Amino acid sequence: MALSGMRGLSVFISDVRNCRNKEQERLRVDKELGNIRTRFKNEKGLTPYEKKKYVWKMLYIYMLGYDVDFGHMEAVSLISAPKYPEKQVGYIVTSCLLNENHDFLRLAINAVRNDIIGRNETFQCLALTLVGNIGGREFAESLAPDVQKLLISSSCRPLVRKKAALCLLRLFRKNSDVVNVDGWSDRMAQLLDERDIGVLTSSMSLFVALVSNNHEAYWSCLPKCVKVLERLARNQDVPQEYTYYGIPSPWLQVKTMRALQYFPTVEDPSTRRALFEVLQRILMGTDVVKNVNKNNASHAVLFEALALVMHLDSEKEMMSQCVALLGKFIAVREPNIRYLGLENMTRMLMVTDVHEIIKRHQAQIITSLKDPDISIRRRSLDLLYGMCDVSNAKDIVEELLQYLGTADFAMREELALKAAILAEKFAPDLSWYVDVILQLIDKAGDFVSDDIWFRVVQFVTNNEDLQPYAALKAREYLDKPAIHETMVKVSAYLLGEYSHLLARRPGCSPKEIFSIIHEKLPTVSYVYLLDYAFIHNTNNRYSSFNVCKDFDALTATGPRIAESNLGSIPQQRAVEYFALSRKGAALMDILAEMPKFPERQSSLIKKAEDTDADTAELSAIKMRTQQQASNALVVTDQRPANGAPQVSQLAMVMVPSMNDVDHASVDQPVTQANGTLSVVDPQPSAQDHAHVRSAAPAADILGDLLSPLAIEGPPGGSAPSEQNSVSGHEGTLGVDDALALAPVGDHEHTVQPIGDIAERFHALCLKDSGVLYEDPYVQIGIKAEWRSHQGRLVLFLGNKNTAPLESVHAVILPPSHLKLDLSPVPEIVPPRAQVQIPLEVVNLRPSRDVAVLDFSYKFGTSLVNNRLRLPAVLNKFLQPIQVSAEEFFPQWRLLTGPPLKLQEVVRGVRPMSLGEMANLFNSLRLMVCPGLDPNASNLVASTTFYSESTRAMLCLVRIETDPADRTQLRMTVASGDATLTIPTAAKPSAPVAQPTTPAIAASDPGAMLAGLL
Amino acid sequence: MIRAVIVMNDQGKPRLVKFYEHQPVEKQQEIIRSIYGVLCSRAENVSNFVQADSTFGPDTRLVYKTFATLYFIVIFDDSENELAILDLMQVFVETLDKCFSNVCELDIVFNFNKVHTILDEIILGGQVIEMSSSEVVKAVDGISWLEKNPNSIIRVPKSISGWQGR
């Protein structure tokens, strides 16, 4: 092993290596930084050698992940050193540490320019490398002509010229307006004649950049590219050192073919012929061999040739040859080639009419869906999704459904979405579509987004033929012993609407259906149950007496529901139904069936289009959808939607959902019920629009689905006020009047936060800067730095208005374990200004309590007051620490039983791969220690906790997962400070728990972990 | 364009970090950690490709290769060819092997400065500058010679291939 040649540097590196944990490393690094800082301060006694050594040390420290915020000047100053060794260090370290906008770089421009125009080629190389790596606008302005000169100079050596080419490329790409490339096509053509492969490689990269910017100017270079390709691939005219595993410079071949893809076509017949001859040779002459490196190289060329053939859209003959090759690739053993085979097949789907040929490989592609490599499984899913059409939809979707049971959790949501889209688009008949979605919910309910089941409801509502079938299916699923919450929702909805179609079947009497849903999920949603029961009963023309009896029973449970955290909605709903049931004749109008939904583009497909980045694959899908419109959509009866003037009743039967829209819609019938119900609204459509707008805060998709329903609610109506008004009136005015909710006007003054405050808080628990709170007038950002038991936060209080923000108050309500020192807050924040309020935090002892910021300001006449949790949570006082096996096990064994060591089994966790879990740990500042646990499905992590009273305390965590059932895991936490028995018990878990628990609720493993201990 | 070259060991410790688009140091560490999280859970005999859009944005790709205790990682955008990037890594490693005669992790740890010099001869500004490892070795030898003889005005030895076409 060779050493760096600088003893001090080597000693420092071995010191760092010998550090037993991250804390020791930090101490060593801090010491070194202090030393360097002192030495730099007193620059006189510094020899060039020492300066060089320190600058290298800075780079090493920077690589380890420590911010080096001084010494930049010294690094930059080395650039103008007269001798090579110092100069070289200056150049390399500067280009690593500084970004292109750094002020100090400006100081170096002259020195760099002198090196570039000077006569020393080694200096030229260094200068070109720096500019090529970080050269910004000012470099472009002052150096571009000199660099251009070097590139085309015949007296320069190749070493300099190839660097000049890439340096110019950087300047051009960053500031194409400054670098003048007019008339460069001739020079470029000349450069492409270059014999030296190194210069040619760099020039080709430059050429790609120029062509991608404007291919029109470079037509004359196209034949030159073909010549290069012929020289390499056909004539093999390349010096030995550029032959890579027997292949003439594969890199340059690839780059050349890439450059050709920037031209729309090759028109000149003789050039075209020559090109296709070479391509043919490449396609035919490549075999899979044993040597991996050779395989990679030859297939790099081959795949680029395939891409070029696809691009040029050549004669059918060559295309089918390509498909055949790809068919071969997706079956080979070499995983890289299988991966690229699948990817390119997906790409090929959009190019030409090779769809039928690709379908022949369907079986093989489905096999890849079970490949051990997730990267390959993803490509295979993409391809299946892309190649699906009416003819193979049944097979493919059924494969996807089957795979869903075993698929990686990371993929399930995407898988479910894709299966749902394909089922919708290519359904040979609608009952199959219903089957698929219900199966989807049954198998992977957690991963089926609301949009998916909303969509099936929409279909069933719009297709009368489908309704008895869907109701029957829903009824069947209810007989299963355990079903997913979403399944209960769909079933309740479908049966509520259409169970009368099942009439006489055994087990389908209203009472039976009611009780089976009721027993299925007493906790999920009384709302649906109530909706269901109410509508259901009336559809069957039950006497109002019966209805009332049912409802009396349900409303009686209302208070209990409210206590059990289900919120006010069910209770309120129950009261409303009860009131409605006494409306007499008007009821029949209210309870008519849902009218059809207007036809629109599937929100699912829209969503997929929005989110999916793979444009190639999507446009392929889109193209084919245009060619063959889905049956599912065609069967739909196009009767004008909302033809019946019954807007108000729609809200009664609205699609259930858990958010604001739901909330808002509850209000609608009620307000109208209060006296206006008998008057049927004559202007449904205008109102419709207003309703949709008022529901805007809900997700788009939701709005999309729900828009045909009349959803009206006070804009930004808040739950508490409605609640109050209901209860407030109840006593005096009787039930009917209690339904009159707070007037719309009341809400104008309440300021609603933008985004979910709880979500923002939880995000900030995992990172150190971001937005804590935002509303239309104010934004509070936060930036934090943590070091052992101390933290320094800055609150950025921004006034978004053109008027000043007045009576600003911010007070911290500190929990007892934290010492918080908030700087004074100005009472007025000027228009569009931002004030920074520093906040010092000291952690006195372990606790899971959270500090709260009580923040208020006046806007107009109304006072806005918010209590915001501050992300100064337990895990911020952790310092990840790497623990070796020798350290870990003795500690682990030392700590036995509670309260030092706690263990718990958690069930019902949101499934997560080990990688995700490791990431979560990282963001919680726990260091995952791979390899400590012999069982690969376990995870061991370590960290140190800091507080003033405990100082550093080691915490060890071990998670055991069950590969067969990812929803459960066992967590053991140990912490080794004997003086802290009780806090220890609470503490180790707390870091994990604290940030995630409240917000993400029980669905998140992190939360579960936290919650455990 | 190549966005970054990272070498780390199988414990996730960075050994060489070079970003061709500046990233603040915290972001760099975050990227390194997240990459390590993905790579350490990958089995053997799987492809060398990993989805990277979550770390680097859409259209970015990540190719990695294991050599003994080290992961070599290159992150790049869709203007590059995945398999050719694997060639590039192989060239880089072969060059290191020639420069350190049978390279091991310790060589890279203690000579990270030289590794930077070597990388700069292969990649410049996110573009490949040289794919012939013998050419790179020649250039690096020239630099080492200059480092040891700072007073000399003799230039880097001339490469023969560079002149053959003239």
Side-chain angles (χ1 to χ4, degrees), chain A residues 56 92, chain B residues 7 15-16 72 92 96 100 103 107-122 140:
Chain A
W56 274 127
I92 291 189
Chain B
V7 179
R15 294 307 186 203
L16 171 75
F72 283 70
F92 184 35
L96 290 173
F100 294 109
V103 68
D107 291 319
I108 294 178
V109 174
F110 281 98
N111 297 281
F112 76 102
N113 47 348
K114 187 166 184 184
V115 177
H116 268 283
T117 309
I118 295 169
L119 184 63
D120 276 354
E121 292 300 321
I122 298 179
V140 172

PDB file of all heavy atoms in Angstrom, chain A residues 56 92, chain B residues 7 15-16 72 92 96 100 103 107-122 140:
ATOM      1  N   TRP A  56      -5.437  19.555   1.599  1.00  0.00           N
ATOM      2  CA  TRP A  56      -5.868  18.171   1.360  1.00  0.00           C
ATOM      3  C   TRP A  56      -6.682  17.656   2.541  1.00  0.00           C
ATOM      4  O   TRP A  56      -7.693  16.986   2.385  1.00  0.00           O
ATOM      5  CB  TRP A  56      -4.671  17.236   1.166  1.00  0.00           C
ATOM      6  CG  TRP A  56      -4.132  17.153  -0.232  1.00  0.00           C
ATOM      7  CD1 TRP A  56      -2.838  17.344  -0.590  1.00  0.00           C
ATOM      8  CD2 TRP A  56      -4.845  16.833  -1.440  1.00  0.00           C
ATOM      9  NE1 TRP A  56      -2.691  17.176  -1.950  1.00  0.00           N
ATOM     10  CE2 TRP A  56      -3.907  16.857  -2.494  1.00  0.00           C
ATOM     11  CE3 TRP A  56      -6.174  16.543  -1.735  1.00  0.00           C
ATOM     12  CZ2 TRP A  56      -4.249  16.596  -3.820  1.00  0.00           C
ATOM     13  CZ3 TRP A  56      -6.520  16.278  -3.047  1.00  0.00           C
ATOM     14  CH2 TRP A  56      -5.567  16.321  -4.071  1.00  0.00           C
ATOM     15  N   ILE A  92      -7.515  21.256  -7.655  1.00  0.00           N
ATOM     16  CA  ILE A  92      -8.415  20.121  -7.368  1.00  0.00           C
ATOM     17  C   ILE A  92      -9.337  20.443  -6.199  1.00  0.00           C
ATOM     18  O   ILE A  92     -10.556  20.246  -6.274  1.00  0.00           O
ATOM     19  CB  ILE A  92      -7.598  18.839  -7.063  1.00  0.00           C
ATOM     20  CG1 ILE A  92      -6.900  18.364  -8.321  1.00  0.00           C
ATOM     21  CG2 ILE A  92      -8.519  17.740  -6.524  1.00  0.00           C
ATOM     22  CD1 ILE A  92      -6.255  17.018  -8.205  1.00  0.00           C
TER      23      ILE A  92
ATOM     24  N   VAL B   7     -17.595   6.575  -4.287  1.00  0.00           N
ATOM     25  CA  VAL B   7     -17.067   5.281  -3.879  1.00  0.00           C
ATOM     26  C   VAL B   7     -17.296   5.187  -2.376  1.00  0.00           C
ATOM     27  O   VAL B   7     -16.955   6.117  -1.643  1.00  0.00           O
ATOM     28  CB  VAL B   7     -15.565   5.158  -4.191  1.00  0.00           C
ATOM     29  CG1 VAL B   7     -15.038   3.802  -3.734  1.00  0.00           C
ATOM     30  CG2 VAL B   7     -15.314   5.341  -5.681  1.00  0.00           C
ATOM     31  N   ARG B  15     -15.568   6.964   0.445  1.00  0.00           N
ATOM     32  CA  ARG B  15     -14.143   6.927   0.180  1.00  0.00           C
ATOM     33  C   ARG B  15     -13.758   7.909  -0.915  1.00  0.00           C
ATOM     34  O   ARG B  15     -12.610   8.315  -1.027  1.00  0.00           O
ATOM     35  CB  ARG B  15     -13.720   5.506  -0.229  1.00  0.00           C
ATOM     36  CG  ARG B  15     -13.873   4.485   0.880  1.00  0.00           C
ATOM     37  CD  ARG B  15     -13.166   4.927   2.123  1.00  0.00           C
ATOM     38  NE  ARG B  15     -13.163   3.925   3.175  1.00  0.00           N
ATOM     39  CZ  ARG B  15     -13.010   4.206   4.456  1.00  0.00           C
ATOM     40  NH1 ARG B  15     -12.871   5.457   4.849  1.00  0.00           N
ATOM     41  NH2 ARG B  15     -12.999   3.257   5.355  1.00  0.00           N
ATOM     42  N   LEU B  16     -14.691   8.211  -1.778  1.00  0.00           N
ATOM     43  CA  LEU B  16     -14.460   9.235  -2.796  1.00  0.00           C
ATOM     44  C   LEU B  16     -15.828   9.808  -3.127  1.00  0.00           C
ATOM     45  O   LEU B  16     -16.773   9.057  -3.367  1.00  0.00           O
ATOM     46  CB  LEU B  16     -13.833   8.622  -4.054  1.00  0.00           C
ATOM     47  CG  LEU B  16     -13.761   9.563  -5.258  1.00  0.00           C
ATOM     48  CD1 LEU B  16     -12.648  10.580  -5.069  1.00  0.00           C
ATOM     49  CD2 LEU B  16     -13.525   8.789  -6.540  1.00  0.00           C
ATOM     50  N   PHE B  72     -18.777   1.071  -6.154  1.00  0.00           N
ATOM     51  CA  PHE B  72     -18.554   2.201  -7.065  1.00  0.00           C
ATOM     52  C   PHE B  72     -19.918   2.586  -7.617  1.00  0.00           C
ATOM     53  O   PHE B  72     -20.649   1.742  -8.101  1.00  0.00           O
ATOM     54  CB  PHE B  72     -17.604   1.810  -8.199  1.00  0.00           C
ATOM     55  CG  PHE B  72     -16.166   1.776  -7.776  1.00  0.00           C
ATOM     56  CD1 PHE B  72     -15.705   0.796  -6.915  1.00  0.00           C
ATOM     57  CD2 PHE B  72     -15.272   2.731  -8.234  1.00  0.00           C
ATOM     58  CE1 PHE B  72     -14.386   0.758  -6.512  1.00  0.00           C
ATOM     59  CE2 PHE B  72     -13.948   2.706  -7.841  1.00  0.00           C
ATOM     60  CZ  PHE B  72     -13.494   1.723  -6.973  1.00  0.00           C
ATOM     61  N   PHE B  92     -12.156   2.835 -14.805  1.00  0.00           N
ATOM     62  CA  PHE B  92     -11.692   3.552 -13.607  1.00  0.00           C
ATOM     63  C   PHE B  92     -10.974   2.586 -12.662  1.00  0.00           C
ATOM     64  O   PHE B  92      -9.867   2.850 -12.196  1.00  0.00           O
ATOM     65  CB  PHE B  92     -12.898   4.216 -12.933  1.00  0.00           C
ATOM     66  CG  PHE B  92     -12.576   5.062 -11.734  1.00  0.00           C
ATOM     67  CD1 PHE B  92     -11.406   5.814 -11.667  1.00  0.00           C
ATOM     68  CD2 PHE B  92     -13.456   5.118 -10.655  1.00  0.00           C
ATOM     69  CE1 PHE B  92     -11.131   6.608 -10.555  1.00  0.00           C
ATOM     70  CE2 PHE B  92     -13.184   5.905  -9.541  1.00  0.00           C
ATOM     71  CZ  PHE B  92     -12.005   6.642  -9.490  1.00  0.00           C
ATOM     72  N   LEU B  96      -7.079   2.418 -11.490  1.00  0.00           N
ATOM     73  CA  LEU B  96      -6.647   2.430 -10.095  1.00  0.00           C
ATOM     74  C   LEU B  96      -5.731   1.237  -9.830  1.00  0.00           C
ATOM     75  O   LEU B  96      -4.710   1.348  -9.144  1.00  0.00           O
ATOM     76  CB  LEU B  96      -7.848   2.349  -9.155  1.00  0.00           C
ATOM     77  CG  LEU B  96      -8.763   3.575  -9.081  1.00  0.00           C
ATOM     78  CD1 LEU B  96      -9.992   3.270  -8.234  1.00  0.00           C
ATOM     79  CD2 LEU B  96      -8.017   4.761  -8.506  1.00  0.00           C
ATOM     80  N   PHE B 100      -1.963   1.693  -8.480  1.00  0.00           N
ATOM     81  CA  PHE B 100      -1.602   1.263  -7.132  1.00  0.00           C
ATOM     82  C   PHE B 100      -1.131  -0.183  -7.102  1.00  0.00           C
ATOM     83  O   PHE B 100      -0.998  -0.765  -6.041  1.00  0.00           O
ATOM     84  CB  PHE B 100      -2.796   1.415  -6.186  1.00  0.00           C
ATOM     85  CG  PHE B 100      -3.199   2.831  -5.960  1.00  0.00           C
ATOM     86  CD1 PHE B 100      -4.379   3.328  -6.484  1.00  0.00           C
ATOM     87  CD2 PHE B 100      -2.386   3.685  -5.231  1.00  0.00           C
ATOM     88  CE1 PHE B 100      -4.754   4.641  -6.290  1.00  0.00           C
ATOM     89  CE2 PHE B 100      -2.760   5.004  -5.020  1.00  0.00           C
ATOM     90  CZ  PHE B 100      -3.935   5.490  -5.553  1.00  0.00           C
ATOM     91  N   VAL B 103      -4.958  -2.682  -6.419  1.00  0.00           N
ATOM     92  CA  VAL B 103      -5.552  -1.698  -5.505  1.00  0.00           C
ATOM     93  C   VAL B 103      -6.444  -2.362  -4.451  1.00  0.00           C
ATOM     94  O   VAL B 103      -7.079  -3.379  -4.703  1.00  0.00           O
ATOM     95  CB  VAL B 103      -6.368  -0.670  -6.317  1.00  0.00           C
ATOM     96  CG1 VAL B 103      -7.585  -1.321  -6.932  1.00  0.00           C
ATOM     97  CG2 VAL B 103      -6.783   0.513  -5.457  1.00  0.00           C
ATOM     98  N   ASP B 107      -5.615   1.649  -0.096  1.00  0.00           N
ATOM     99  CA  ASP B 107      -4.944   2.537  -1.051  1.00  0.00           C
ATOM    100  C   ASP B 107      -5.794   3.763  -1.311  1.00  0.00           C
ATOM    101  O   ASP B 107      -5.311   4.889  -1.376  1.00  0.00           O
ATOM    102  CB  ASP B 107      -4.723   1.811  -2.390  1.00  0.00           C
ATOM    103  CG  ASP B 107      -3.685   0.714  -2.258  1.00  0.00           C
ATOM    104  OD1 ASP B 107      -2.677   0.947  -1.579  1.00  0.00           O
ATOM    105  OD2 ASP B 107      -3.906  -0.374  -2.824  1.00  0.00           O
ATOM    106  N   ILE B 108      -7.080   3.495  -1.475  1.00  0.00           N
ATOM    107  CA  ILE B 108      -7.973   4.599  -1.816  1.00  0.00           C
ATOM    108  C   ILE B 108      -8.146   5.528  -0.622  1.00  0.00           C
ATOM    109  O   ILE B 108      -8.194   6.744  -0.759  1.00  0.00           O
ATOM    110  CB  ILE B 108      -9.318   4.044  -2.318  1.00  0.00           C
ATOM    111  CG1 ILE B 108      -9.058   3.313  -3.642  1.00  0.00           C
ATOM    112  CG2 ILE B 108     -10.347   5.135  -2.488  1.00  0.00           C
ATOM    113  CD1 ILE B 108     -10.257   2.664  -4.241  1.00  0.00           C
ATOM    114  N   VAL B 109      -8.176   4.948   0.586  1.00  0.00           N
ATOM    115  CA  VAL B 109      -8.325   5.779   1.782  1.00  0.00           C
ATOM    116  C   VAL B 109      -7.133   6.706   1.940  1.00  0.00           C
ATOM    117  O   VAL B 109      -7.286   7.916   2.128  1.00  0.00           O
ATOM    118  CB  VAL B 109      -8.459   4.886   3.035  1.00  0.00           C
ATOM    119  CG1 VAL B 109      -8.475   5.753   4.290  1.00  0.00           C
ATOM    120  CG2 VAL B 109      -9.718   4.055   2.956  1.00  0.00           C
ATOM    121  N   PHE B 110      -5.947   6.138   1.848  1.00  0.00           N
ATOM    122  CA  PHE B 110      -4.766   6.940   2.151  1.00  0.00           C
ATOM    123  C   PHE B 110      -4.285   7.774   0.972  1.00  0.00           C
ATOM    124  O   PHE B 110      -3.442   8.635   1.132  1.00  0.00           O
ATOM    125  CB  PHE B 110      -3.643   6.050   2.668  1.00  0.00           C
ATOM    126  CG  PHE B 110      -3.835   5.682   4.103  1.00  0.00           C
ATOM    127  CD1 PHE B 110      -4.399   4.472   4.467  1.00  0.00           C
ATOM    128  CD2 PHE B 110      -3.504   6.595   5.105  1.00  0.00           C
ATOM    129  CE1 PHE B 110      -4.602   4.150   5.795  1.00  0.00           C
ATOM    130  CE2 PHE B 110      -3.705   6.278   6.435  1.00  0.00           C
ATOM    131  CZ  PHE B 110      -4.257   5.058   6.785  1.00  0.00           C
ATOM    132  N   ASN B 111      -4.782   7.483  -0.201  1.00  0.00           N
ATOM    133  CA  ASN B 111      -4.346   8.258  -1.358  1.00  0.00           C
ATOM    134  C   ASN B 111      -5.530   8.909  -2.045  1.00  0.00           C
ATOM    135  O   ASN B 111      -5.582   8.988  -3.272  1.00  0.00           O
ATOM    136  CB  ASN B 111      -3.616   7.344  -2.340  1.00  0.00           C
ATOM    137  CG  ASN B 111      -2.368   6.774  -1.717  1.00  0.00           C
ATOM    138  OD1 ASN B 111      -1.348   7.439  -1.635  1.00  0.00           O
ATOM    139  ND2 ASN B 111      -2.460   5.540  -1.242  1.00  0.00           N
ATOM    140  N   PHE B 112      -6.483   9.349  -1.245  1.00  0.00           N
ATOM    141  CA  PHE B 112      -7.674   9.907  -1.878  1.00  0.00           C
ATOM    142  C   PHE B 112      -7.313  11.069  -2.786  1.00  0.00           C
ATOM    143  O   PHE B 112      -7.991  11.334  -3.763  1.00  0.00           O
ATOM    144  CB  PHE B 112      -8.681  10.343  -0.804  1.00  0.00           C
ATOM    145  CG  PHE B 112      -8.330  11.623  -0.122  1.00  0.00           C
ATOM    146  CD1 PHE B 112      -8.967  12.805  -0.467  1.00  0.00           C
ATOM    147  CD2 PHE B 112      -7.341  11.656   0.838  1.00  0.00           C
ATOM    148  CE1 PHE B 112      -8.634  13.988   0.146  1.00  0.00           C
ATOM    149  CE2 PHE B 112      -7.002  12.842   1.460  1.00  0.00           C
ATOM    150  CZ  PHE B 112      -7.642  14.010   1.117  1.00  0.00           C
ATOM    151  N   ASN B 113      -6.201  11.748  -2.458  1.00  0.00           N
ATOM    152  CA  ASN B 113      -5.804  12.865  -3.324  1.00  0.00           C
ATOM    153  C   ASN B 113      -5.394  12.377  -4.708  1.00  0.00           C
ATOM    154  O   ASN B 113      -5.750  12.952  -5.724  1.00  0.00           O
ATOM    155  CB  ASN B 113      -4.684  13.681  -2.668  1.00  0.00           C
ATOM    156  CG  ASN B 113      -3.565  12.816  -2.116  1.00  0.00           C
ATOM    157  OD1 ASN B 113      -3.706  11.597  -2.020  1.00  0.00           O
ATOM    158  ND2 ASN B 113      -2.447  13.425  -1.770  1.00  0.00           N
ATOM    159  N   LYS B 114      -4.693  11.244  -4.719  1.00  0.00           N
ATOM    160  CA  LYS B 114      -4.285  10.710  -6.018  1.00  0.00           C
ATOM    161  C   LYS B 114      -5.500  10.169  -6.776  1.00  0.00           C
ATOM    162  O   LYS B 114      -5.584  10.283  -8.005  1.00  0.00           O
ATOM    163  CB  LYS B 114      -3.254   9.598  -5.824  1.00  0.00           C
ATOM    164  CG  LYS B 114      -2.658   9.124  -7.128  1.00  0.00           C
ATOM    165  CD  LYS B 114      -1.422   8.281  -6.925  1.00  0.00           C
ATOM    166  CE  LYS B 114      -0.829   7.916  -8.281  1.00  0.00           C
ATOM    167  NZ  LYS B 114       0.314   7.010  -8.131  1.00  0.00           N
ATOM    168  N   VAL B 115      -6.447   9.613  -6.022  1.00  0.00           N
ATOM    169  CA  VAL B 115      -7.648   9.099  -6.674  1.00  0.00           C
ATOM    170  C   VAL B 115      -8.399  10.246  -7.358  1.00  0.00           C
ATOM    171  O   VAL B 115      -8.919  10.093  -8.466  1.00  0.00           O
ATOM    172  CB  VAL B 115      -8.548   8.368  -5.651  1.00  0.00           C
ATOM    173  CG1 VAL B 115      -9.830   7.904  -6.298  1.00  0.00           C
ATOM    174  CG2 VAL B 115      -7.809   7.193  -5.053  1.00  0.00           C
ATOM    175  N   HIS B 116      -8.404  11.389  -6.703  1.00  0.00           N
ATOM    176  CA  HIS B 116      -9.015  12.565  -7.329  1.00  0.00           C
ATOM    177  C   HIS B 116      -8.295  12.917  -8.630  1.00  0.00           C
ATOM    178  O   HIS B 116      -8.922  13.243  -9.635  1.00  0.00           O
ATOM    179  CB  HIS B 116      -8.963  13.771  -6.375  1.00  0.00           C
ATOM    180  CG  HIS B 116     -10.181  13.900  -5.524  1.00  0.00           C
ATOM    181  ND1 HIS B 116     -11.372  14.391  -5.994  1.00  0.00           N
ATOM    182  CD2 HIS B 116     -10.409  13.578  -4.230  1.00  0.00           C
ATOM    183  CE1 HIS B 116     -12.275  14.385  -5.030  1.00  0.00           C
ATOM    184  NE2 HIS B 116     -11.719  13.889  -3.938  1.00  0.00           N
ATOM    185  N   THR B 117      -6.977  12.885  -8.582  1.00  0.00           N
ATOM    186  CA  THR B 117      -6.205  13.189  -9.782  1.00  0.00           C
ATOM    187  C   THR B 117      -6.563  12.225 -10.911  1.00  0.00           C
ATOM    188  O   THR B 117      -6.766  12.632 -12.057  1.00  0.00           O
ATOM    189  CB  THR B 117      -4.700  13.066  -9.474  1.00  0.00           C
ATOM    190  OG1 THR B 117      -4.421  13.821  -8.305  1.00  0.00           O
ATOM    191  CG2 THR B 117      -3.868  13.551 -10.625  1.00  0.00           C
ATOM    192  N   ILE B 118      -6.676  10.948 -10.560  1.00  0.00           N
ATOM    193  CA  ILE B 118      -6.992   9.941 -11.583  1.00  0.00           C
ATOM    194  C   ILE B 118      -8.379  10.191 -12.152  1.00  0.00           C
ATOM    195  O   ILE B 118      -8.591  10.201 -13.367  1.00  0.00           O
ATOM    196  CB  ILE B 118      -6.892   8.528 -10.976  1.00  0.00           C
ATOM    197  CG1 ILE B 118      -5.452   8.231 -10.561  1.00  0.00           C
ATOM    198  CG2 ILE B 118      -7.405   7.485 -11.961  1.00  0.00           C
ATOM    199  CD1 ILE B 118      -5.288   6.981  -9.717  1.00  0.00           C
ATOM    200  N   LEU B 119      -9.346  10.430 -11.250  1.00  0.00           N
ATOM    201  CA  LEU B 119     -10.716  10.651 -11.716  1.00  0.00           C
ATOM    202  C   LEU B 119     -10.785  11.865 -12.639  1.00  0.00           C
ATOM    203  O   LEU B 119     -11.488  11.854 -13.646  1.00  0.00           O
ATOM    204  CB  LEU B 119     -11.644  10.844 -10.508  1.00  0.00           C
ATOM    205  CG  LEU B 119     -13.125  10.990 -10.834  1.00  0.00           C
ATOM    206  CD1 LEU B 119     -13.661   9.717 -11.480  1.00  0.00           C
ATOM    207  CD2 LEU B 119     -13.937  11.315  -9.591  1.00  0.00           C
ATOM    208  N   ASP B 120     -10.032  12.907 -12.301  1.00  0.00           N
ATOM    209  CA  ASP B 120     -10.037  14.104 -13.141  1.00  0.00           C
ATOM    210  C   ASP B 120      -9.489  13.845 -14.537  1.00  0.00           C
ATOM    211  O   ASP B 120      -9.767  14.598 -15.466  1.00  0.00           O
ATOM    212  CB  ASP B 120      -9.228  15.228 -12.476  1.00  0.00           C
ATOM    213  CG  ASP B 120     -10.058  16.003 -11.460  1.00  0.00           C
ATOM    214  OD1 ASP B 120     -11.270  15.733 -11.375  1.00  0.00           O
ATOM    215  OD2 ASP B 120      -9.503  16.863 -10.762  1.00  0.00           O
ATOM    216  N   GLU B 121      -8.681  12.797 -14.674  1.00  0.00           N
ATOM    217  CA  GLU B 121      -8.183  12.459 -16.013  1.00  0.00           C
ATOM    218  C   GLU B 121      -9.190  11.615 -16.788  1.00  0.00           C
ATOM    219  O   GLU B 121      -9.016  11.357 -17.970  1.00  0.00           O
ATOM    220  CB  GLU B 121      -6.844  11.711 -15.918  1.00  0.00           C
ATOM    221  CG  GLU B 121      -5.690  12.567 -15.414  1.00  0.00           C
ATOM    222  CD  GLU B 121      -5.405  13.777 -16.307  1.00  0.00           C
ATOM    223  OE1 GLU B 121      -5.486  13.640 -17.545  1.00  0.00           O
ATOM    224  OE2 GLU B 121      -5.112  14.862 -15.744  1.00  0.00           O
ATOM    225  N   ILE B 122     -10.216  11.104 -16.103  1.00  0.00           N
ATOM    226  CA  ILE B 122     -11.205  10.258 -16.780  1.00  0.00           C
ATOM    227  C   ILE B 122     -12.510  11.013 -17.023  1.00  0.00           C
ATOM    228  O   ILE B 122     -13.120  10.902 -18.081  1.00  0.00           O
ATOM    229  CB  ILE B 122     -11.474   8.979 -15.943  1.00  0.00           C
ATOM    230  CG1 ILE B 122     -10.183   8.177 -15.811  1.00  0.00           C
ATOM    231  CG2 ILE B 122     -12.551   8.123 -16.598  1.00  0.00           C
ATOM    232  CD1 ILE B 122     -10.316   6.919 -14.982  1.00  0.00           C
ATOM    233  N   VAL B 140      -1.321  10.350 -15.484  1.00  0.00           N
ATOM    234  CA  VAL B 140      -1.150  10.390 -14.034  1.00  0.00           C
ATOM    235  C   VAL B 140       0.331  10.234 -13.665  1.00  0.00           C
ATOM    236  O   VAL B 140       0.824  10.931 -12.762  1.00  0.00           O
ATOM    237  CB  VAL B 140      -2.001   9.291 -13.358  1.00  0.00           C
ATOM    238  CG1 VAL B 140      -1.681   9.195 -11.874  1.00  0.00           C
ATOM    239  CG2 VAL B 140      -3.484   9.586 -13.561  1.00  0.00           C
TER     240      VAL B 140
END
